[in-house]
Amino acid sequence: MKEKIDKKTLKKGLLPYVFLAIIMLGIFYVLNVLNKNVHELTYDEFIEKLDKGKVTELNIVPRNSGSIYEVSGTLSGYEDNESFEATLPLSEEVMKKIVSANDDQKIKVTVEPDPDASSLLYILVNIFPILLVLVAAFWFFNKQMAGNRSSLDFGKSRARLSSDDNQVTFKDVAGLKEEKEEVKELIDFLKDPKKFQKLGARIPKGVLLMGPPGTGKTLLAKAVAGEANVPFYFISGSDFVELFVGVGASRVRDMFQQAKRNAPCLIFIDEIDAVGRQRGTGLGGGHDEREQTLNQLLTEMDGFGANEGIIIIAATNRPDVLDPALLRPGRFDRQVTVNLPDVRGREEILAVHAKNKIIAEGITLQNLAKRTPGFSGADLENLLNEAALLAVRRNKNEITMSEIDEATDRVLMGPAKVSHKYSENDRKLVAYHEAGHAVIGLKLKNASDVQKVTIIPRGSAGGYNMMVPTEEKMCSTKTDLLEEITGLLGGRSAEEITFGEITTGAHNDFEKATKIARAMVTEYGMSDLGPLQFEQQAGSVFLGRDYNKAQHFSNEVANEIDMEMRKIINDCHKQAKDIIKKNSDLLKLIAETLLEYETLTKEQIDYLVENGKMPDEDEENLESLSITKLRELAKEKGIKNYSKMTKAELLKELDTI
C-alpha cells in the first residue's frame, strides 16, 4: 500500500514539471520561428538567383502529387537566420537548371518525399501537434479545477467509504461489553435480513451513540461494519453545513442515494450535533442552512423502506442539544450511552493497547487500571504511548513504572516545568500545602487513597496531590462529598497553621469545593433547606434557553442558599484544621521529605507513615534518590552549578553522562 501511495505521489509530483517542459519547448519553438527571416521569391527571381550561382543550399519538397514543388534554402550573403522560399511548377526545364547548377556550383540539394503521400506522416506533422496542445490544455485546466472542485460539486456527498485495509472488529473494541451487545442485532440484520423479516421484526433505522469524548463511539461503529463485512460510509456533521442554503440538504440526498446503490451498508455520522441541533433556537433566531439540512435528514430517514438495508449510526457528546424529532422512534430508535470505562473495562483497554509494547516485569495491567479512574479509552492509549516514548527517550529496553508515572502526570497535568525556577520559600510553601492534602487523605476514614504527591510544577499548578477512590461508586453519599471538600481545604489549612499566613495557591481548591457545596444545596438536597432542587445543570447559552435563566426561588431563599454553602465550607475548613493540628508531626515529616525528594509515590508514603523514614535508597535507580544524594553524585561527576539545580535537572544532567 505504501509503495502504491509513493508511486502515485511521485507521478503527481513529476507531472507539473513535464507539463512545464512542454510549455518551454513550445515557447522556444515559437521564438525560433519568429526569429527566422524568410524571403518569398517568385519563379523568375529564383531562376535568376540560380543562374547567377547565388544559391548555396536548396531543399525540394513535392506537393499535390508532384504537380508543384516547394523549394527553400539560403543565398550567398544571407545571415544565419535568413532563408528563402519559392513555389515552382513541375517543369523539365527547371529541373535541368537545378541539376546543372548542382553539378557546376556544388549546391547542397535535399529532396524530401511528398508528405501528402503518407497519411501517417501527414497526421504526425499536421494533426498530432494540435492534439498534443489540446491534451495539455485539458490536463492543465483539469488540475486547476481539482483544487477548487467544490465550486462544481458542492452538492455532492462528502461521505467517504472506509478502506478494507484497516477493518476493525469487536476484538479491537475493549471495555464496551454491554454496548457491543446492544449493536449485535444490527450485525445479524446486515448479514441476514430475512431472519428478521420472517417474524415481522423491524430493525432500528438509526442508533445514537452518546458519551464523553474518547470513549470509543467511532471505534464501535467501525467494528459493527467490520463484523457485518458491509460498506462503511463515514462523515462528520460539519461536512453537511455550508455557506449557501440548500447545499447541506443536497449532500444528504446524494449520500442516501449512494448508500442505496451499495445496500446493505452502514452510514456513520460523527458529531451529529453540528447539524442536528434543536431548530428555532439561538440568540439570533434559527440557522436556515443547518435547519434545512436537518429537515432533509429527517425526511430521508422516514423514507427508508422496510428492506432498504441501510443503518445509520450517529455519535455525539452533546445529546442535550439535539432536536427531539431526531430522537423519536422511527429515526434514531435506539440510544446507547457509551460511558467512561470501569476498572475492568480499563484493564481490557490497556491489554489491547499493550500488545505491541514491552512492559517491565512486575507491572500488571490490573494495577494500572486501578490507578487511572476517570480515564477514557483514548486517555489510556495516550498514557501507554507517552510511557513508550519516555522509555525510548531514556534509552531503556522496556517500559518501567517510572515512565508510566510520568506519563500519567503528563496526561493529567501536562509536562513538568523543569526549567521553572522558584525560591526556597515558595518550595516550602508548596511542600506544606501538598502535605496538608496528603494528611487529610490519610486520616479521613472514607477518603481516597493518596497515590502520589509532588512539588514539581505542571501546567498552572505548583504541585499536586493525586488521590483515587478506594472503590468506584455509582453515586456519592453526603459524607463522601463533605470529606472531599475537607480534603480540598487541607492545603489552605496547612498554610495557616504552619506559616500563620495564606497564599493564592489554593484558588483552584476553592473553586472545586464551592462547586460541590453549591450542588449539595441546590441540586442534591443535602442541606437544612430540605430535599428541594433550586437549580439545574446549565446548558449552552446558544440554545436560546439559558440567556435569561429563570429563578425559581425568592431572594430570601437565595440568601439561605448562600448561608448553607458558607456553613458547609466553614465546617469542613474547621475539620481540616483540627486534623492538621492533631497530626502536625506527620505534616512536617511529609513536607520535609517532599523538599528532599520532590515526588512521593503511594508505596513511599505508606512506608514513611509506618516507619517515619524513607526506604533505603537504591543506588542504581537515580530517580529514587534524594536531591541531596543526587547533588553528591553530580559533584563527583564534575557537573557545574549542581547546588542550584532541581531534582529533575540533576537527573537530566546525570543521564547524559
Side-chain angles (χ1 to χ4, degrees), residues 13-311:
L14 289 176
L15 282 174
Y17 295 102
V18 173
F19 184 65
L20 181 62
I22 293 173
I23 293 176
M24 294 300 294
L25 288 173
I27 293 173
F28 290 147
Y29 175 78
V30 171
L31 291 176
N32 189 33
V33 170
L34 292 177
N35 287 332
K36 286 188 176 181
N37 187 8
V38 181
H39 302 278
E40 292 287 341
L41 300 182
T42 64
Y43 172 76
D44 294 335
E45 290 174 337
F46 172 74
I47 295 298
E48 180 183 354
K49 301 292 184 184
L50 186 64
D51 291 340
K52 292 181 179 181
K54 292 186 177 182
V55 179
T56 58
E57 186 175 341
L58 192 62
N59 183 47
I60 303 173
V61 180
R63 292 288 186 180
N64 296 336
S65 301
S67 59
I68 61 173
Y69 290 91
E70 289 183 356
V71 296
S72 60
T74 58
L75 302 178
S76 58
Y78 273 12
E79 301 290 338
D80 291 340
N81 61 338
E82 281 188 292
S83 63
F84 71 86
E85 288 183 354
T87 303
L88 308 178
L90 177 61
S91 170
E92 185 177 350
E93 180 183 355
V94 173
M95 295 307 299
K96 285 182 177 180
K97 285 182 176 290
I98 293 174
V99 172
S100 176
N102 185 31
D103 293 338
D104 297 339
Q105 304 166 15
K106 302 299 182 183
I107 301 173
K108 183 180 180 182
V109 178
T110 305
V111 180
E112 295 182 3
D114 185 0
D116 297 334
S118 174
S119 58
L120 179 60
L121 184 61
Y122 178 81
I123 291 173
L124 290 176
V125 173
N126 296 279
I127 300 178
F128 180 74
I130 299 174
L131 290 176
L132 183 63
V133 172
L134 291 175
V135 170
F138 175 78
W139 177 84
F140 177 75
F141 286 112
N142 189 53
K143 289 292 289 183
Q144 289 294 317
M145 295 305 296
N148 194 26
R149 195 171 293 277
S150 58
S151 62
L152 297 178
D153 63 352
F154 51 81
K156 297 294 184 180
S157 171
R158 293 290 189 269
R160 298 174 296 279
L161 184 63
S162 178
S163 172
D164 294 335
D165 296 337
N166 53 354
Q167 196 173 60
V168 179
T169 59
F170 275 173
K171 68 180 181 181
D172 302 308
V173 182
L176 299 176
K177 184 177 180 181
E178 290 78 12
E179 289 81 355
K180 287 190 284 189
E181 291 293 333
E182 282 291 308
V183 296
K184 271 188 176 179
E185 293 174 359
L186 306 180
I187 300 171
D188 296 336
F189 172 76
L190 290 170
K191 285 183 174 180
D192 186 16
K194 293 182 180 179
K195 182 172 65 173
F196 292 84
Q197 296 162 8
K198 187 185 299 182
L199 296 178
R202 181 181 64 82
I203 203 69
K205 293 182 179 178
V207 177
L208 181 65
L209 303 179
M210 307 176 298
T215 50
K217 300 183 289 294
T218 303
L219 190 67
L220 183 61
K222 287 182 178 180
V224 172
E227 289 287 337
N229 196 25
V230 297
F232 178 73
Y233 290 94
F234 59 97
I235 189 172
S236 172
S238 59
D239 286 335
F240 290 111
V241 184
E242 281 287 352
L243 174 65
F244 305 106
V245 176
V247 174
S250 175
R251 289 178 179 175
V252 171
R253 288 191 294 270
D254 187 66
M255 179 181 70
F256 279 93
Q257 287 175 3
Q258 290 184 32
K260 289 174 184 177
R261 288 195 295 266
N262 294 278
C265 66
L266 189 147
I267 299 175
F268 175 65
I269 306 176
D270 198 10
E271 306 296 346
I272 194 174
D273 52 276
V275 69
R277 283 176 176 264
Q278 186 171 337
R279 291 168 289 184
T281 58
L283 296 179
H287 187 295
D288 287 341
E289 161 63 1
R290 179 174 53 77
E291 291 185 7
Q292 285 198 20
T293 305
L294 175 58
N295 291 337
Q296 186 64 41
L297 180 62
L298 298 175
T299 303
E300 291 289 345
M301 293 186 73
D302 281 340
F304 277 11
N307 303 320
E308 288 285 1
I310 302 173
I311 292 177

Side-chain angles (χ1 to χ4, degrees), residues 55 94 116 119 174 195 201 320 353 368 376 393 455 457 460 466 470 524 531 568 609 651:
V55 179
V94 173
D116 297 334
S119 58
K195 182 172 65 173
D320 56 308
H353 295 303
L368 291 183
S376 66
R393 192 181 304 171
I455 60 173
S460 60
M466 183 194 295
T470 52
Y524 307 146
I568 291 174
V609 172
L651 287 171

